[in-house]
Amino acid sequence: MTTVDLNPPYLKLVSSDTDESTKGELRLRKALTEYFTRLTDNQLRMMRPGSIVRWKSGLKNRKWPDYGDLVVVIEIIDPPILDIEGGAGSCYYREPLSGIIGWLDEEGDFLAFHSDLRRYEIVT
């Protein structure tokens, strides 16, 4: 009886779509884990009214302020208010609005709004 090698060595030299999709999936898993870690790193526990903060990399979910803009924590809301305005199809639905932040807009006006403070990092 003749045995057939189902994985001959010459086939291992050629990349397949499965290899690329596996690499892509591994990159995606790594990125998702990094963003989860960034979102849940407990910096919120160290924030106080008066803390200067900015968006964490990759976690900006509002039009303003821009990345890099410094804002001040005005108030910590505990327990957070759950945003229910957008409905279940909105990415903001049940977002925990855990604080009020303030920043200066381009005209120099001080604006304040509710935000998910887990998405911000303390500027030291």
Side-chain angles (χ1 to χ4, degrees):
M1 178 185 254
T2 306
T3 59
V4 177
D5 185 1
L6 298 176
N7 294 308
Y10 57 84
L11 289 180
K12 293 178 184 174
L13 299 175
V14 178
S15 175
S16 70
D17 290 340
T18 304
D19 292 339
E20 285 305 312
S21 65
T22 301
K23 289 178 186 175
E25 183 178 314
L26 289 173
R27 283 192 296 271
L28 179 59
R29 286 174 179 255
K30 182 180 178 186
L32 288 170
T33 301
E34 287 174 8
Y35 282 108
F36 172 77
T37 301
R38 216 176 294 158
L39 182 67
T40 60
D41 69 0
N42 286 325
Q43 281 208 13
L44 175 57
R45 289 185 180 177
M46 297 180 290
M47 291 181 191
R48 304 283 180 264
S51 294
I52 303 298
V53 298
R54 66 176 165 225
W55 290 111
K56 292 177 184 175
S57 174
L59 293 178
K60 179 177 181 277
N61 69 339
R62 304 286 177 162
K63 189 172 181 178
W64 297 287
D66 288 330
Y67 273 121
D69 286 355
L70 300 180
V71 300
V72 63
V73 174
I74 297 171
E75 182 180 342
I76 305 289
I77 302 170
D78 190 24
I81 299 167
L82 297 182
D83 186 355
I84 57 171
E85 289 298 313
S90 167
C91 64
Y92 303 117
Y93 183 66
R94 295 185 53 84
E95 179 180 28
L97 302 175
S98 53
I100 301 173
I101 63 168
W103 90 98
L104 296 174
D105 69 5
E106 57 275 354
E107 284 96 32
D109 295 323
F110 186 74
L111 306 175
F113 68 95
H114 290 74
S115 193
D116 179 358
L117 293 181
R118 297 175 303 164
R119 295 178 173 275
Y120 293 85
E121 62 188 0
I122 296 173
V123 178
T124 54

